Amino acid sequence: MATKYYLILITVITFLAFGWDKRLAKNGKPRLAESVLLILTFLGGTFGALFGMTFFKHKYAKKTFILKLVLVIAAQLALVFILKEHLTEPR
């Protein structure tokens, strides 16, 4: 049950971080580091990142960021697969 609440929280935080970074960019202020956005994504905020990118029209035109995001998502999938294989009992 706690996992569900964690994922909801990190998704919302990641979404808001993308919105905040977009706002900083529009106002010419110092921005959040890309690494912060990517770490939030890796920690479970994937849907927040994807929705934030779409909703705020932020970072989706930057090809290097998209590549890094794809690598983060691939690492997440690999980690889930490895954990599933090692933490589940054989049938």
Side-chain angles (χ1 to χ4, degrees), residues 31-75:
R31 311 260 309 274
L32 297 176
E34 280 188 358
S35 60
V36 171
L37 298 174
L38 292 169
I39 288 169
L40 287 170
T41 301
F42 181 77
L43 293 176
T46 305
F47 292 113
L50 296 173
F51 187 56
M53 289 173 66
T54 305
F55 186 81
F56 298 112
K57 295 181 177 27
H58 188 51
K59 296 268 189 208
Y60 67 90
K62 191 170 181 189
K63 294 190 187 337
T64 57
F65 183 80
I66 297 293
L67 176 62
K68 292 173 191 174
L69 185 69
V70 168
L71 292 173
V72 164
I73 294 170

Side-chain angles (χ1 to χ4, degrees), residues 4-32:
K4 178 172 71 171
Y5 293 120
Y6 169 78
L7 288 174
I8 291 169
L9 182 64
I10 194 69
T11 296
V12 170
I13 289 170
T14 305
F15 174 77
L16 294 174
F18 273 81
W20 182 252
D21 191 50
K22 176 70 174 197
R23 183 178 184 153
L24 292 171
K26 285 176 110 177
N27 293 328
K29 300 208 173 170
R31 311 260 309 274
L32 297 176

